[in-house]
Amino acid sequence: MDLGVNIDHIATIRQARGTNYPSVLDAATLAEQAGADSITLHLREDRRHMQDKDLYELKPLLKTKMNLELAPVPEMLKIALDVHPEDVCLVPERREERTTEGGLDLIKKFHDIKKISDDLTNAGIRVSLFIAPEIDQIDKAIEMQVPIIELHTGNYADFDGELKNKELKKIQQAVEYAKKAGLLVNAGHGLHYENVQNIAKIDGIHELNIGHAIVAKALFIGWENAVIEMKKIIKEYAQS
């Protein structure tokens, strides 16, 4: 199981003071050296953390691959086609939210999202869709003919007790269903050092994308050590 390290919140710290540090370039390089299998970043429409120039500076430096998260809108499509990352993950976005809340609604917005997805695919960019672990959403992803989905694990991360177990079961069933349909399955959102274990145990997940928890852990043990520790946990539980 791969680990995609999200470096958005390195940029959040930088933007808080409008400085040129901490460097997202250094964060990406050190994360790769510590075992990250990809670098994930989200260019938001309000540019609250990542900036356009970050994408252009990062792309030629990465040794693994760039997983660029974007809202499925024309402005972001244009940027993605210009930067040409290996992967683009289409995500929902609302200006007032703190972080991405829930997955894309592929049922209501099927045609709009498919148009963006097709344009990216035709340009040779691999597309994934960030969706809830719901069978009807997976069916629409299959209909859209994307190769990858990323399952939203935010509810699992936020819930406790029986609700948490129920959400975990939904994720397990969604992974199995998508895998049988031939989709590559990633997962992420809200995962940290104490809750990632049960998700890592799920057979069929290709990659976990984690950011905020790693940045927070790095405050106490260092950036590279935080990446190494998360990678170690995932490896241990994925093999159990």
Side-chain angles (χ1 to χ4, degrees), residues 167-227:
E167 194 66 23
L168 178 62
K169 187 173 182 180
K170 281 177 62 177
I171 295 169
Q172 291 168 334
Q173 291 171 339
V175 172
E176 184 177 359
Y177 185 85
K179 187 179 175 183
K180 285 181 179 178
L183 290 170
L184 198 66
V185 184
N186 298 336
H189 200 79
L191 298 178
H192 54 69
Y193 293 83
E194 283 72 50
N195 69 9
V196 72
Q197 290 83 353
N198 286 329
I199 301 298
K201 286 180 182 178
I202 300 174
D203 183 41
I205 294 180
H206 173 70
E207 180 176 273
L208 296 179
N209 287 304
I210 305 173
H212 182 264
I214 296 175
V215 174
K217 190 77 167 180
L219 293 174
F220 303 99
I221 67 171
W223 178 241
E224 292 163 279
N225 288 334
V227 174

Side-chain angles (χ1 to χ4, degrees), residues 8 40-44 49-50 68-71 91-93 100:
D8 287 347
T40 294
L41 56 153
H42 184 175
L43 183 67
R44 282 182 167 269
H49 38 60
M50 285 294 166
L68 179 58
E69 296 180 342
L70 298 171
V91 301
E93 188 174 313
T100 305

